[in-house]
Amino acid sequence: SGNEKLISGSQDSSIRIWGTRTWEQIAVLDEHTSFVYNIAISPNGRILASASVDRTAQLWNLDNGKLIGLPLQRSDQVNCVSFSLDGK
C-alpha cells in the first residue's frame, strides 16, 4: 500500500514514526519523561500502547498522534505493554 510504518521507542523518551518507503520521520510522540521500554500496536493498527521508566503506560491514537485519556500511573517503571487479540 506504500503506507507502511516503523514505530520505535527510545532512550531519549520519544516514540518516533517512520515511513518505510522513504525512511523519513513522520511524527514524534514525546509525552514520556524517561526511556520508552516497550511499545505495542493494537490488532486494528490504530492504537499504540507505550511503557516507560517514567512509571507510566500510555495509549496513543495513531491516526492523529495524540494521547488517548490520561497515562496509567504505576509505582515503578513499566517494562511491557501488549494487546489481546480482541484489542483490549
Side-chain angles (χ1 to χ4, degrees):
S1 69
N3 198 23
E4 289 81 11
K5 297 177 181 127
L6 173 77
I7 303 176
S8 64
S10 180
Q11 287 189 2
D12 72 0
S13 308
S14 72
I15 298 164
R16 295 176 188 266
I17 304 175
W18 313 84
T20 59
R21 196 169 55 82
T22 62
W23 292 112
E24 289 184 12
Q25 186 172 278
I26 297 168
V28 180
L29 312 179
D30 59 2
E31 296 291 329
H32 280 294
T33 59
S34 191
F35 299 177
V36 176
Y37 259 174
N38 190 257
I39 57 175
I41 299 171
S42 64
N44 69 8
R46 300 188 68 191
I47 299 172
L48 175 79
S50 58
S52 174
V53 175
D54 70 9
R55 302 186 317 232
T56 68
Q58 300 194 30
L59 292 176
W60 306 83
N61 179 333
L62 286 176
D63 293 332
N64 63 18
K66 304 287 187 196
L67 281 175
I68 299 171
L70 295 172
L72 172 66
Q73 298 279 344
R74 306 297 299 165
S75 60
D76 199 357
Q77 66 192 37
V78 184
N79 295 319
C80 190
V81 286
S82 66
F83 286 92
S84 58
L85 290 177
D86 62 4
K88 294 185 179 173

